[in-house]
Amino acid sequence: PVKILIMSNQASSSASGFVLKLYQMVSTSDPSIITWLPCGSAFKISDLHLLETTTLPLHFRHSRFQSLVRQLNFYNFRKVNRERTFWVYKHPLFHRDRPEDLHMLRRKTCPDNNNNNNNNNNN
């Protein structure tokens, strides 16, 4: 059965495509592969092989876990466990029960090198 997730207009209209796809993937996928932690403030990837072969291709244009991790890092998600058999990621604005906050979750930007150079020259 296919689960359909309806989000508020605010969450879906201004949140980035990656954030919306990630929220949809965590919320609707097989919980034995990827799921929210009971508290809803983080998600857990339990089956890396099935994530790459079945889940990622349904939601993204790639099937590589490392590509997902790279995007998570761009958005300041943090890995919060040290185990190597499963992965838990967290971001303060990414919560199961608060899809209305998704629009505030933004990708990191590169610092302006010109400003940094100017500041260094003044010292």
Side-chain angles (χ1 to χ4, degrees), residues 4 6 15 25 35 45 58 74 101:
I4 297 176
I6 306 295
M25 180 176 70
T35 191
I45 299 167
L58 291 175
F74 279 139
D101 289 348

Side-chain angles (χ1 to χ4, degrees), residues 77-117:
F77 279 80
R78 296 291 174 236
K79 185 177 177 194
V80 294
N81 69 317
R82 294 181 183 269
E83 292 80 3
R84 294 187 180 264
T85 56
F86 65 92
W87 298 262
V88 176
Y89 287 92
K90 181 177 191 165
H91 189 288
L93 295 172
F94 192 77
H95 195 284
R96 178 192 57 216
D97 303 327
R98 293 195 312 268
E100 66 275 7
D101 289 348
L102 294 177
H103 72 282
M104 295 185 289
L105 208 164
R106 296 284 179 216
R107 189 175 165 140
K108 282 191 266 188
T109 57
C110 294
D112 184 357
N113 288 332
N114 291 335
N115 285 342
N116 289 343
N117 290 339

Side-chain angles (χ1 to χ4, degrees), residues 15-65:
S16 78
F18 171 75
V19 171
L20 289 174
K21 288 176 186 179
L22 179 64
Y23 186 89
Q24 189 85 4
M25 180 176 70
V26 175
S27 298
T28 63
S29 295
D30 180 341
S32 69
I33 300 171
I34 185 171
T35 191
W36 293 102
L37 293 185
C39 60
S41 66
F43 64 93
K44 177 181 178 180
I45 299 167
S46 300
D47 190 323
L48 187 55
H49 176 71
L50 285 177
L51 180 80
E52 289 187 323
T53 59
T54 65
T55 307
L56 285 176
L58 291 175
H59 297 275
F60 297 99
R61 289 179 289 184
H62 63 80
S63 59
R64 294 185 60 232
F65 175 62

